[in-house]
């Protein structure tokens, strides 16, 4: 923002989350990488848009229900 602070632009909300896989790749010493796979039943995505002057406008959100057998 104009004052130099952080600005929230997007938010994810997951429900019924479980870590289904975790990998640590330590082969490259300087570039360790962690990979986490998440399973979840619901996801909500919310965006926080701003107008041309940098003023916050109404958030927008949508969601999905993910059903897995």
């Amino acid at each position: 923002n104009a004052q130099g602070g952080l600005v929230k632009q997007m938010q994810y909300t997951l429900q019924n989350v479980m870590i289904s896989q975790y990998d640590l790749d330590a082969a490259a010493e300087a570039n360790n990488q962690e990979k986490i796979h998440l399973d979840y039943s619901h996801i909500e995505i919310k965006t926080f848009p701003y107008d041309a002057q940098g003023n916050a406008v109404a958030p927008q959100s949508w969601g999905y229900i993910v059903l897995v057998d």
Side-chain angles (χ1 to χ4, degrees):
N1 65 10
Q3 293 77 30
L6 297 176
V7 176
K8 183 191 295 191
Q9 295 186 3
M10 188 172 287
Q11 173 180 307
Y12 294 89
T13 304
L14 305 175
Q15 294 181 17
N16 301 316
V17 182
M18 181 174 67
I19 297 173
S20 59
Q21 185 176 346
Y22 173 80
D23 295 310
L24 176 61
D25 182 5
E29 290 181 23
N31 295 319
N32 291 341
Q33 293 184 354
E34 292 180 288
K35 294 180 183 178
I36 300 173
H37 297 252
L38 302 174
D39 288 339
Y40 50 89
S41 65
H42 298 75
I43 182 170
E44 179 186 13
I45 304 162
K46 185 180 280 189
T47 60
F48 300 89
Y50 295 84
D51 64 17
Q53 290 75 36
N55 300 310
V57 296
Q60 301 174 3
S61 66
W62 58 97
Y64 301 96
I65 298 173
V66 181
L67 299 175
V68 178
D69 289 334

